[in-house]
Amino acid sequence: MIVSVISKIKTRILLFFLLYLLLSFNNFHICFFSRKYNDPYCITAGSKPGFQISSEQNESFTGDRVSGDHTKILRSGDTKGYDDLLEQEDKPKNIGLVSDQEDKPKNKAGLYSLIDLKAEEEYSKYIKPKSEGERYALRAAVKYLYLQRSWLAPGDENINKTLSCEVVPNAVFSCSGFRTHMYSLQPILHSRVLKHPCRVYNETQAKLFYVPYYGGYDVLRWHYRNVSDDVKDRLGIEALKWLESKESWRRNAGKDHVFVLGKITWDFRRDKVPWGSKFLELQEMQNPTKLLIERQPWQVNDIAIPHPTYFHPQTDDDIISWQIKIASKPRRNLVSFAGGARPGNPDNIRSTLIEQCVSSSSNQCWFLNCTNRSCMNPKNVLDLFQDSEFCLQPPGDSATRRSVFDSLISGCIPVVFTPYTAYYQYAWHLPEDHRRYSVYISEQDVKEKRVHVVEIVKAKTLSEKEEMRSYIVHQLLPGLVYGDSNAKIKKFRDAFDITFDSLLEKIKQSK
């Protein structure tokens, strides 16, 4: 009898120990299967490794109607909120604004005070305001950026995922070749949401609602057609009318809904120029979260996420092989620029950069002229970036550039001329200390010809370049690309994982 009792106790201890091991490792998940759900419900799904860009807090800045079958619902895992994590002794070092050297805010009021302090310190480092209005605007832009960083889902440094399939202009998926269209973000993320492990089919259980309204394509279809503003706005308004009829929308006034729009925010904020729609200016769109490739810096619910790139690994080995290749690639060019001049815009610095590039001595700068359609072939761009140590990234039609991400995944250090190109945009995917992955040169200094960009990057030491490239390739790269929904990636986390983990964190903090 005693032996039997001891045996049972040992068995129970062993079971508890095994359960503890399972819950201790982020690669394991505890899931329930039921006839009630088509997919398993994983109670630990929100706790797998997140993407952590840096453990340091260095100084920085330095045409159909939407139908009822289409709204896809996500449920978050049971993980603690940001405020709770701040009070844990073993919290991740780079949750958002707080470093090991700073006092830790104990509540939201403390967090917002810290955000205000950071904004006051940082807002004027890169652009000198000419008026009190500009001063206020810059301070607000930095404040909203820091607030978005506070939503970054915590996780382990160096843990990322990867990218897989491409999307061609007609939104058809193809996994052979380099044909990722620059506006393919919507179908890429949609395909991932459909297979998310925490997707549920009962809206009362959902924490986050994804709305598959392809607003970017809605804007593009009217680009070359002479139609009225009412026609341009019609589909978006119809989608919102349908959403407003749903209890899931009315319950939180759309605050737990997310739209993936896949273009720059200005395409949905039609003003004096008769281009685009007014979708993001509608009152009903102020509460939801909007995922875009370029955000409006003064709209906290505009979230910028990386442009889709040409990089398409399918497995862990693919991404590791790519990292090894890029890290060891000989760089024949000191600096390069792939783009075209903007002769119709006297404020644009591209012409000055091209002049400095082509006139540099010893062929230190290589210019790929995109006005003759050379850049339509992705191989031309990728080959140039992989051969270059630095890649010039001036603004084009808007502040951001897909080329920034093409250069990063090629191991080419981007040279940025305005913080609105990257630093004030991608709070979840790029680190606060931009000096770890880029070189900043004032756009105004270039415009007034006070600097020569080739000479500035030429002054960088070999150790500085190697340190920056190592950080880009081994830390940033996996988190800047999007994995296909069928890819077999386990060791890394990609841009989609970072985005949706942080969206869930944002929803939790807003409760």
Side-chain angles (χ1 to χ4, degrees):
M1 182 69 177
I2 295 176
V3 173
S4 176
V5 170
I6 293 174
S7 177
K8 289 180 179 180
I9 292 174
K10 288 181 177 180
T11 302
R12 290 178 181 176
I13 291 174
L14 178 60
L15 287 173
F16 278 117
F17 179 71
L18 290 174
L19 182 60
Y20 169 79
L21 286 179
L22 286 173
L23 293 175
S24 298
F25 287 93
N26 288 322
N27 290 329
F28 292 88
H29 298 284
I30 307 300
C31 302
F32 293 101
F33 293 82
S34 168
R35 283 182 253 174
K36 192 174 179 182
Y37 305 115
N38 291 348
D39 288 338
Y41 168 51
C42 305
I43 62 174
T44 58
S47 61
K48 58 183 179 178
F51 176 63
Q52 205 62 33
I53 291 175
S54 171
S55 61
E56 302 175 7
Q57 290 294 321
N58 296 327
E59 183 175 306
S60 67
F61 286 140
T62 0
D64 292 320
R65 183 185 299 271
V66 178
S67 70
D69 294 334
H70 288 170
T71 299
K72 309 304 175 188
I73 306 166
L74 297 181
R75 177 171 183 164
S76 69
D78 298 326
T79 56
K80 295 194 175 186
Y82 177 74
D83 297 328
D84 295 332
L85 282 167
L86 288 176
E87 298 178 4
Q88 294 182 17
E89 291 297 325
D90 58 345
K91 74 172 188 67
K93 293 182 179 179
N94 185 25
I95 277 191
L97 303 176
V98 184
S99 71
D100 293 338
Q101 288 74 37
E102 294 173 323
D103 294 331
K104 302 175 178 61
K106 298 299 183 182
N107 49 45
K108 288 185 178 180
L111 174 63
Y112 294 154
S113 296
L114 183 59
I115 289 171
D116 285 334
L117 178 63
K118 283 283 190 179
E120 187 67 29
E121 293 175 350
E122 304 288 345
Y123 77 92
S124 64
K125 282 191 174 180
Y126 292 91
I127 300 178
K128 301 303 180 184
K130 298 178 181 178
S131 66
E132 186 58 34
E134 288 187 15
R135 187 182 302 275
Y136 177 82
L138 284 169
R139 186 185 295 114
V142 176
K143 178 177 178 178
Y144 289 147
L145 185 80
Y146 277 117
L147 181 57
Q148 289 187 355
R149 288 194 190 282
S150 75
W151 299 328
L152 179 61
D156 300 327
E157 194 171 7
N158 299 328
I159 304 294
N160 296 299
K161 230 175 180 179
T162 186
L163 168 76
S164 290
C165 272
E166 64 173 328
V167 184
V168 293
N170 61 357
V172 177
F173 282 84
S174 170
C175 291
S176 58
F178 300 100
R179 294 290 299 170
T180 306
H181 192 265
M182 64 186 299
Y183 297 138
S184 61
L185 189 64
Q186 294 159 119
I188 288 176
L189 266 65
H190 191 172
S191 69
R192 294 289 298 274
V193 169
L194 291 175
K195 297 187 178 182
H196 196 285
C198 293
R199 180 187 176 193
V200 296
Y201 294 82
N202 183 340
E203 67 180 35
T204 62
Q205 297 176 319
K207 306 293 186 187
L208 179 67
F209 295 81
Y210 163 70
V211 184
Y213 165 58
Y214 281 24
Y217 292 158
D218 187 27
V219 166
L220 282 172
R221 66 178 177 151
W222 305 120
H223 188 15
Y224 298 109
R225 302 176 66 178
N226 185 21
V227 298
S228 68
D229 289 347
D230 289 340
V231 172
K232 296 176 184 177
D233 298 333
R234 183 178 301 159
L235 186 60
I237 292 173
E238 288 179 355
L240 288 173
K241 285 182 178 178
W242 179 85
L243 285 167
E244 287 182 313
S245 71
K246 308 294 290 182
E247 173 60 27
S248 56
W249 176 277
R250 296 194 300 269
R251 186 163 54 242
N252 291 304
K255 292 179 181 179
D256 49 7
H257 284 58
V258 58
F259 291 75
V260 180
L261 297 178
K263 292 184 94 274
I264 65 174
T265 186
W266 314 108
D267 288 337
F268 308 96
R269 300 183 184 277
R270 187 180 63 242
D271 190 11
K272 297 177 182 178
V273 179
W275 159 251
S277 74
K278 64 174 184 179
F279 187 62
L280 294 187
E281 297 295 326
L282 299 174
Q283 183 60 39
E284 296 84 354
M285 284 302 296
Q286 302 315 300
N287 285 337
T289 301
K290 286 80 68 174
L291 302 180
L292 306 123
I293 54 176
E294 178 176 324
R295 64 182 290 263
Q296 211 269 38
W298 302 279
Q299 295 289 335
V300 72
N301 287 325
D302 270 20
I303 306 292
I305 61 177
H307 290 245
T309 68
Y310 298 123
F311 187 37
H312 303 280
Q314 297 283 337
T315 65
D316 291 322
D317 289 340
D318 287 344
I319 196 167
I320 292 171
S321 297
W322 182 260
Q323 288 175 314
I324 293 172
K325 173 186 175 181
I326 293 302
S328 59
K329 188 80 168 61
R331 307 274 164 172
R332 295 179 296 179
N333 307 320
L334 173 66
V335 60
S336 64
F337 174 47
R342 293 290 190 273
N345 183 358
D347 291 328
N348 194 284
I349 63 172
R350 289 186 170 210
S351 294
T352 302
L353 292 177
I354 293 171
E355 179 184 347
Q356 292 186 1
C357 181
V358 298
S359 63
S360 62
S361 60
S362 304
N363 296 321
Q364 292 180 314
C365 185
W366 190 269
F367 172 51
L368 178 63
N369 190 353
C370 292
T371 59
N372 61 12
R373 302 183 66 83
S374 296
C375 300
M376 296 297 291
N377 183 348
K379 187 176 186 302
N380 293 338
V381 177
L382 293 180
D383 285 349
L384 177 66
F385 288 172
Q386 290 175 39
D387 280 342
S388 304
E389 294 189 286
F390 298 93
C391 294
L392 304 182
Q393 302 296 345
D397 296 328
S398 67
T400 64
R401 296 191 78 201
R402 166 184 172 153
S403 181
V404 170
F405 295 95
D406 289 336
S407 67
L408 286 169
I409 67 165
S410 300
C412 187
I413 302 166
V415 181
V416 177
F417 300 91
T418 168
Y420 293 103
T421 295
Y423 310 155
Y424 289 173
Q425 292 289 337
Y426 308 100
W428 292 348
H429 297 83
L430 293 177
E432 183 178 343
D433 186 358
H434 67 82
R435 294 170 301 182
R436 304 189 71 180
Y437 69 91
S438 70
V439 173
Y440 178 81
I441 301 175
S442 168
E443 184 178 31
Q444 193 65 30
D445 287 345
V446 175
K447 190 179 302 183
E448 297 176 4
K449 299 185 178 180
R450 292 197 295 260
V451 298
H452 196 294
V453 294
V454 177
E455 296 302 318
I456 290 177
V457 297
K458 185 179 178 181
K460 294 292 180 181
T461 67
L462 179 61
S463 62
E464 287 177 319
K465 291 183 289 188
E466 289 179 345
E467 183 178 356
M468 293 173 75
R469 183 167 297 107
S470 177
Y471 180 76
I472 290 169
V473 172
H474 298 295
Q475 305 261 357
L476 288 186
L477 188 154
L480 301 179
V481 293
Y482 298 94
D484 177 71
S485 57
N486 295 317
K488 305 299 183 182
I489 309 296
K490 297 179 181 179
K491 295 179 180 179
F492 301 98
R493 294 180 61 74
D494 72 349
F496 174 87
D497 295 320
I498 298 166
T499 299
F500 272 78
D501 286 351
S502 298
L503 281 172
L504 293 169
E505 188 73 17
K506 176 179 185 287
I507 297 299
K508 286 189 292 183
Q509 289 190 36
S510 67
K511 298 297 185 181

